Amino acid sequence: MSNLLMIEDDARLAGMVSDYLGASDFVVSHATDAQTGLSRLQSAGVDLVILDLMLPDMDGLQVCQRIRALPGTLGQVPVLMLTAKGDPMDRIIGLEMGADDYLPKPFEPRELLARIRAILRRKSAGASSGQVLQFGSLEIDRDARRVSVKGHPCDLTSYQFDLLVALAERAGRVLTRDQIMEAVRGRELEAFDRSIDVHMGRIRAAIEVDPKNPQRILTVRGVGYVFARQQD
């Protein structure tokens, strides 16, 4: 049984979501504002945060930033962002702030459930892999879900970590965006295609010496991405 925290000011929506997810053995805690949600996150074990973009006391993007700034595993908790905005730029900004996934309102409860399960499967699979991937100075510890370059930790979200692992496990092989998403989700779900590009940019910023001239994660124009095998 997983514990979810929903930070959402629409009490009616939160109640419906809580009832629906509760029937699938999820325990949902609800906070109507950002400050309450952040306090609850730090005082109770939470496996995933469902975060609304529009909150009465703080923008959801700021909340996501604050979560990512928390120490240790608290700052790595997966965040699924909800919003009534449909502008693709809002989705990009949300992902750049550290969200693992993005679901616009209105949404089907079944899709929300599927996305939550996919995120938690990725997290569980990474925790049980028990293997360290080494590429020169880049080390990917799947057991600890930690990435470092020359011993210095890299700041990645849970989803970005899984994207990096998916590429690194297939080093030298060109993968399309759909193949990458299928590898990290475990199944195909409707998604915002360009979100992969946003995440790749964040991963490059974390692991590349010069993100504008990447040497590890290379773009194959018109196809997708490839993780280079070279050592440094």
Side-chain angles (χ1 to χ4, degrees), residues 203-224:
I203 296 170
R204 283 170 168 164
I207 71 171
E208 300 278 6
V209 174
D210 180 4
K212 293 183 179 180
N213 183 32
Q215 302 299 309
R216 295 192 180 280
I217 299 178
L218 309 179
T219 300
V220 180
R221 189 177 298 276
V223 182

Side-chain angles (χ1 to χ4, degrees), residues 150-163:
K150 296 182 180 179
H152 299 289
C154 301
D155 185 18
L156 297 176
T157 69
S158 176
Y159 188 47
Q160 289 159 9
F161 176 86
D162 292 322
L163 286 172

Side-chain angles (χ1 to χ4, degrees), residues 88-109:
M89 185 55 64
D90 291 317
R91 303 187 185 193
I92 291 174
I93 294 172
L95 294 168
E96 289 182 337
M97 293 298 103
D100 292 88
D101 206 349
Y102 199 106
L103 189 60
K105 298 177 182 177
F107 55 85
E108 289 292 332

